[in-house]
Amino acid sequence: MSPRHDPSSVPEELDEASSISSSLSTADTDILSSPGSTSSGPSLRSQPWPQTFPIPQFSYEVEVQLERANCTHLSSGTLLSPSAKLKSDILDSLASEIIKYKVYPSSAEFDTVAEALIRKHPCLKEQGSVCGYYGWKISLKYKMANYRTRLRGIGCPELSINSMKGKHGTTGQSPNQVKKPRKAEVNYCPDFPVGETKESLEEERQALLLEIKKKNQQQIKSKMGKTFAYRRQEIVMDMPFITELKSRWPALFSESEVNAEFTRITTVPLLSKFMSQLDGYSDRLLKVFRKKGGEAGRKIRLITTVMDKDPRIERRRECVIKGLCIYLNEEPESLIKTYLDASSDASHGMEAIVMGIYVIQHEGAEPDEDPEDVGVIIEGVNVLQGLRNVANECVLLLGLIYSLNLSYPKELKHTFEFLQKVVMELDGNRLSQKVQVLKNRLLE
């Protein structure tokens, strides 16, 4: 099973993303606003969907009408019945504000916009509606669909990838399916920086390869930021193989750049957020794990006894992740493949891995001993090696899945869902039943 993200797996209007509550650290804000990425200008979104949607300032004509209607509503309770033009002007302004955060808002996010509208302008509340804004929500959905059509017509890359021409091209994409963010990506397929073209950014990529040879880290970071949109469009639209990506973008396959790319895509820091959140949940997870019975409970206890011999935080994180897999009825061996350094089958076994983590242990090593090497393999290609520990591998694999626009392995979909939505708090309001049950038990 290929780890490639399948854009035709979910119809356009049925797959919904939800809100993001994470904030940026100063260091990760720099990734979006550093000298190397300022050339990206307004083409990059700098923040996720807000918890409270900011209703924009409407045109002077609209504001005057709403101000008078709000005063009348306050004094007499009379609701405004907006004219077709007034309603259209309001919806146009809201669509222009929504697009700053998302091209494809979820149903729940349309709720937040409509609710914020009648909260700021109570005169617009709908008579007879239970929530008071259902009609506004439906109108917003239609307005955004029309707005997307207009943006697609002027070449917005996040929408042009779903043009009819592309759908009937070599991709074989069905006309009623769409490529769009599935894992709360904020910058899914951004436009090129202002003043840049495909040709000029290809020159930057060639210059980047020279800086890699010179090991000029400052220039590498700068050029990776500048070429982000070019690289992202290539990954999302063309879906190249990992070997080709590694050849064209070797700098992407490093710990620092995986972290930076994840932040460019989601606006959320990867390593620091993951580790702090995982550590924060560890005690509660272990407490829940101890209550697990049957064969799964026995496997979890066998894994967690390693912490008695090796109390280091790295070992604790590894045991928690492995226990998480088992608790969610998934096999940690599907995620982490262990090989002996003397095994002649190790290289052959790694070539067969579609996506996962490898650990090289010397023969006769105890469970609490450090491995010889740890790394990440995708499509049989060793993309990261020489990493510090299993937990570090897991977070970088998550980052690579985002960076390379891949799907989660089906045999580990609940484990990665927990890591994304609970640990990283990306799309955390929309959980599968299995993950929701675990989250509820953590809050007991």
Side-chain angles (χ1 to χ4, degrees), residues 57-114:
Q57 184 80 13
F58 299 124
S59 68
Y60 179 76
E61 180 182 356
V62 171
E63 288 290 343
V64 167
Q65 294 179 74
L66 291 180
E67 183 179 352
R68 289 176 179 173
N70 283 327
C71 289
T72 301
H73 174 70
L74 184 63
S75 61
S76 65
T78 303
L79 296 173
L80 175 67
S81 179
S83 65
K85 183 180 185 308
L86 176 59
K87 186 172 183 179
S88 180
D89 288 345
I90 291 172
L91 292 172
D92 279 333
S93 296
L94 291 174
S96 296
E97 191 69 18
I98 289 171
I99 208 73
K100 295 177 183 179
Y101 303 97
K102 277 191 175 181
V103 171
Y104 295 99
S106 69
S107 179
E109 287 161 345
F110 278 119
D111 277 324
T112 64
V113 179

Side-chain angles (χ1 to χ4, degrees), residues 162-182:
N162 297 309
S163 65
M164 294 303 293
K165 181 179 178 181
K167 289 177 182 178
H168 293 298
T170 58
T171 62
Q173 188 179 344
S174 172
N176 66 340
Q177 307 298 331
V178 65
K179 286 183 180 180
K180 67 175 183 177
R182 307 290 180 183

